[in-house]
Structure formats: C-alpha cells, structure tokens
Amino acid sequence: MASRSTQILEAAARVIARRGVRGLRVEELAAEAGVSTALIYYHFKDRTGILLRTLEFINDRAERYTAHREPGAGALSPREELDRTLLLELQDTTEVRENSSAWGELRASAVFDEALREDLARATLVWNQEVAGLLGAVRPTAPAPALAASAERLTALMEGLSMRWLSGTLPIAHARTLMGEAIDTEVERLGRAGGGAAGSAPQPAGPSAPQPAGPSAREPAGPSSPPSAGQPENPA
C-alpha cells in the first residue's frame, strides 16, 4: 500500500496533468488524494514544496516504466536498449499520458516560476546524461561532446513529439516513427564522429522494439533520476 506522501504525489500528478500548475489548489489536491489539507502541509510545507516533490515523483516514475522488463525477457543489445528506453516515452497509457502532461506543465511553468527552474534543469541534465550513456554503449568510440549533443537533440525532440501527441496534433504512431528515424540519424552521426566502431552500425527498430499499448493499458523523477515528464526517468 502506498504511503500517504506517495498517495498525495500521485494525486498531484493527476491534478497537474488535468488542470495545469496554475490550477493546482491545495484544497482540490486534498480532495483528490482523500486526505486533509493539514496532512499535505505537514508532508510538503507549502505549494512550492508540492511542485518540487511532484517533479521528482514523475521523474522517478518515468525511470521505472522505461526500465521495466518482463520476467524472463532476454538481454537486449545496446541499440535495442536505446530504442526501447526512448520509445517507451510514447505509449498511449494512463501513466505515460499523465506523466508527460505533468512534465510539460511543470516545464511551461518554469518560464515564470524561478523556484522550479533549478530542479527542472537538474532533472533534464540527468535525463540527457542517461540517454548519452545509452548512445555511448551503441557508439563506444564517439567523443563525449558528440554523445551529449545527440542526447540533447533526442530528449528535446521527445518533449516536442510528446506534447504534439498529447495535444492531438500528431498521431502516436507517427510520433514513434519520427523518433525512431531521429535515433537512426543520431547513431549514424555518432558513427562518423567516432570513426564507425566495428559492429556498431545503426540498426532500425525491429520486432523487439516496444509497441504502443492500447488505451485501456496503463505511460522523467526526482531531479536525481530522468518523466520522466515529462516521464521525464526518463519525462515527457
């Protein structure tokens, strides 16, 4: 059974995804979580504390669903792991939709709310580093600056594709196709930058790449993880 603080954070992610950061009211959050407002203030002190902890929560949750493996599943190649981790951010499930929506709302609010910027920047940096690590496993001879640049392009594209999908301006299947093509492009670019390490030629996402779940299924983290969000823990 989830702890009270986790119960409140799950409710906060739902409210932010549904109403945005500006629509988050402690009274509504208390009703959504089924707790008293006093308990929320006890755990999170104030509204800023709620937002920062929710950012951490959605990043942690994104990391969990992008890293999840079925029991007995075989080992993945570095390229398959890269494809899988990124494409799992584009699933038509309640959890992913909620995480990505909340991540997008928190990022948009950071434009006006300086209290969110530092934690959001840290979470984004961790996400970039995680993707750079996956790219480095595919292209081990690529220089670190090239890996970092590729990771930043891919995570930025993921956020844009996710928002277009969630807003109904881009079908999820097309978003996944565009993301797969971008991964191919970055892997090929890194192959040129690193001299094309033997055995690391780009491989298109095959049958082992994750397929979007149906609407009836369930989609960055603390700043120390990467929705998730946004996740995010990889967001959204």
Side-chain angles (χ1 to χ4, degrees):
M1 184 175 180
S3 67
R4 285 294 191 186
S5 59
T6 299
Q7 182 180 337
I8 295 168
L9 290 170
E10 288 172 343
R14 290 195 299 272
V15 173
I16 291 172
R18 185 171 65 239
R19 298 177 59 84
V21 170
R22 293 186 179 184
L24 179 66
R25 300 288 182 270
V26 175
E27 293 76 11
E28 181 180 356
L29 174 56
E32 182 78 20
V35 300
S36 67
T37 56
L39 186 63
I40 292 177
Y41 286 119
Y42 171 78
H43 282 289
F44 303 102
K45 307 302 180 188
D46 54 24
R47 189 172 182 277
T48 298
I50 296 170
L51 293 176
L52 295 179
R53 288 284 298 283
T54 303
L55 175 62
E56 178 179 349
F57 170 77
I58 64 174
N59 277 317
D60 283 339
R61 188 163 66 173
E63 185 176 14
R64 287 196 299 275
Y65 62 64
T66 55
H68 175 72
R69 298 290 306 282
E70 294 297 331
L76 298 178
S77 69
R79 176 58 196 272
E80 289 170 336
E81 187 70 32
L82 172 65
D83 289 340
R84 184 180 189 281
T85 299
L86 287 171
L87 292 175
L88 281 176
E89 293 282 2
L90 293 167
Q91 300 179 79
D92 194 2
T93 67
T94 299
E95 192 172 30
V96 174
R97 278 182 170 273
E98 188 177 280
N99 242 45
S100 295
S101 297
W103 173 267
E105 290 291 342
L106 287 162
R107 180 173 291 286
S109 293
V111 173
F112 308 101
D113 187 346
E114 292 186 9
L116 282 173
R117 291 180 191 173
E118 183 178 349
D119 288 75
L120 186 64
R122 186 182 301 113
T124 302
L125 176 62
V126 171
W127 187 20
N128 287 340
Q129 290 172 337
E130 290 180 351
V131 174
L134 293 169
L135 288 164
V138 178
R139 293 298 196 193
T141 63
L147 291 170
S150 286
E152 195 153 18
R153 283 189 291 268
L154 288 174
T155 56
L157 176 63
M158 176 61 73
E159 288 183 333
L161 291 175
S162 182
M163 288 302 101
R164 289 195 177 190
W165 158 53
L166 290 168
S167 66
T169 58
L170 185 68
I172 189 171
H174 189 45
R176 290 170 62 87
T177 296
L178 293 173
M179 195 68 216
E181 291 172 350
I183 296 170
D184 287 342
T185 298
E186 294 299 338
V187 169
E188 183 178 358
R189 184 199 302 263
L190 290 170
R192 295 194 300 269
S200 58
Q203 307 167 22
S208 60
Q211 299 300 314
S216 61
R218 70 131 195 113
E219 181 189 56
S224 57
S225 297
S228 127
Q231 168 233 257
E233 148 229 355
N234 354 260

